[in-house]
């Protein structure tokens, strides 16, 4: 049995992160808070399945397509979490995985771009007044870079 490549392991990790977000959205509907989350949950689940299929590729893509996939994760996580129309701090935790993947797997310039995109997502997902957004962004985005 051959060991999994770093790209395959990252694709599985990103897919699991997206599926956890779907479970979080589903829990919101079960609590009766929001009833119209089926569309973002379905989109995120399909994208997570596509990411899981990428784990079975024999060759890993170059850094830029992988950076695009990680940036798409950030955009999709932000869109699905913003669909709730109520800021939830739990949604910002889902951004830790793409930020960590960017810090560990990508070259510096695309990694910084993905980190900036995640910082913007944290700003969008924070309720006004947005003073807390800077503090949360610093913690959530600095932790992966410190671990990397």
């Amino acid at each position: 049995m051959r060991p999994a490549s770093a790209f395959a392991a990252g694709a599985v990790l990103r897919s699991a992160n997206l599926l956890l977000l779907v479970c979080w959205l589903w829990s919101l509907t079960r609590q009766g808070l929001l009833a119209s989350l089926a569309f973002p949950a379905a989109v995120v689940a399909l994208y997570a399945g596509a990411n899981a299929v990428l784990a079975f590729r024999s060759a890993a893509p170059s850094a830029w397509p992988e950076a695009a996939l990680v940036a798409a994760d950030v955009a999709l996580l932000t869109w699905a979490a913003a669909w709730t129309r109520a800021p939830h701090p739990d949604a910002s935790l889902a951004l830790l995985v793409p930020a960590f993947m960017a810090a560990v797997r990508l070259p510096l310039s695309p990694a910084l771009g993905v980190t900036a995109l995640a910082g913007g997502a944290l700003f969008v997902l924070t309720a006004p007044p947005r003073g807390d957004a800077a503090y949360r962004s610093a913690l959530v985005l600095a932790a992966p870079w410190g671990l990397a």
Side-chain angles (χ1 to χ4, degrees):
M1 184 170 186
R2 67 179 177 88
S5 70
F7 174 74
V12 169
L13 177 66
R14 290 183 12 256
S15 179
N17 183 48
L18 291 167
L19 288 175
L20 283 174
L21 181 76
V22 169
C23 290
W24 176 72
L25 290 171
W26 181 73
S27 74
L28 289 178
T29 61
R30 297 290 296 172
Q31 294 171 7
L33 297 176
L34 301 160
S36 64
L37 294 174
F39 180 67
V43 170
V44 172
L46 286 173
Y47 184 76
N51 272 327
V53 169
L54 287 176
F56 295 104
R57 284 190 52 163
S58 59
S62 66
W64 287 101
E66 189 173 1
L69 287 171
V70 175
D73 284 358
V74 171
L76 191 62
L77 287 167
T78 305
W79 172 72
W83 189 281
T84 63
R85 291 191 178 98
H88 293 283
D90 301 341
S92 63
L93 294 177
L95 293 171
L96 278 173
V97 171
F100 182 74
M101 294 299 295
V104 171
R105 293 271 308 140
L106 300 177
L108 185 60
S109 60
L112 290 175
V114 169
T115 302
L117 184 64
L122 285 169
F123 184 78
V124 167
L125 295 176
T126 303
R130 301 201 191 271
D132 189 39
Y135 176 72
R136 185 177 297 139
S137 296
L139 288 178
V140 169
L141 299 177
W145 283 93
L147 291 172

